Amino acid sequence: MTGLLVVTAVPAEAEAIRAGLTAPAAPDGTASPDVTVLPVGVGPAVAGAATARLLALAEAAGRPYRAVVSAGIAGGFAGRVAVGGTVLADRSVAADLGAESPAGFIPVEDLGMPPELLGGGRTVPADPGLLARLRAALPGATVGTVLTVSTVTGTAASTAALAQRHPDAVAEAMEGYGVGVAAAQAGVPFAELRTVSNPIGPRDRSAWRMREAFAALTAAAAALH
């Protein structure tokens, strides 16, 4: 994919993606003449801000990116995607953007704020063309909503509540929505690609399969050309 920017949270994810690309990574983070892979930080705020800066700098230099992909590992909802599986988001949702109440979670768009303050709301849809190309390259990937959270889900109760609120969600991560907002503001096509390291639920490090998730990320990287 020409002029593609791939952003990850941490260097290990970027390294896994670069390992799957045919050309060796250059010192400036360029994995091939057409794909740039860079870690931008953990969480939606820093990832969104860093991505916005990268997009702006590229545009100012006269070499704008044609698309941006938020990529990395994620937790997957049991029964919806297997550990080690690959996920493509049809939309990225800020799952915890809103308010708590005695009756349950209230999404930010239901809080009575003027629409102009919400931008695109809690959802950034994947670019249809970009998603179609990724789906064609990764036919075994599970497609569905990927949730962006600032606090990783770690109890059975919160997992059940999240799954009930988002019956079409397949995974959760911490950066996709922020990256998607940056892309939308810049008018650049966006998609999110994740591989699953653990089931969402009670926090149990022994159940994490990081090696398998990183291997799947490397295998999926060939789709980014």
Side-chain angles (χ1 to χ4, degrees):
M1 295 183 184
T2 304
L4 179 66
L5 173 64
V6 181
V7 295
T8 68
V10 299
E13 292 168 323
E15 291 166 6
I17 291 170
R18 290 176 188 144
L21 300 172
T22 56
D28 65 356
T30 303
S32 82
D34 296 329
V35 182
T36 299
V37 185
L38 291 170
V40 293
V42 177
V46 67
T51 300
R53 179 176 182 271
L54 291 170
L55 293 174
L57 288 173
E59 183 176 4
R63 299 187 297 273
Y65 291 108
R66 297 191 181 182
V68 59
V69 173
S70 176
I73 62 175
F77 283 96
R80 301 180 185 178
V81 61
V83 172
T86 299
V87 167
L88 294 171
D90 55 15
R91 59 180 185 151
S92 301
V93 176
D96 49 13
L97 185 59
E100 289 187 330
S101 79
F105 178 77
I106 304 174
V108 67
E109 57 265 28
D110 294 342
L111 295 177
M113 295 183 183
E116 61 269 19
L117 297 182
L118 299 179
R122 295 186 305 140
T123 298
V124 179
D127 177 79
L130 181 56
L131 178 59
R133 292 174 70 181
L134 290 171
R135 291 186 70 170
L138 294 167
T142 299
V143 180
T145 297
V146 175
L147 306 179
T148 299
V149 296
S150 294
T151 301
V152 173
T153 305
T155 69
S158 57
T159 300
L162 201 60
Q164 183 175 19
R165 291 204 308 267
H166 301 279
D168 55 352
V170 293
E172 71 168 22
M174 302 182 75
E175 294 80 31
Y177 174 77
V179 175
V181 168
Q185 292 288 323
V188 176
F190 161 78
E192 183 172 4
L193 183 157
R194 299 283 171 178
T195 57
V196 176
S197 60
N198 59 278
I200 299 170
R203 189 171 176 81
D204 177 11
R205 292 294 296 269
S206 67
W208 293 10
R209 298 293 180 265
M210 303 296 287
R211 181 178 299 177
E212 289 88 337
F214 281 124
L217 197 58
T218 295
L224 302 181
H225 284 291

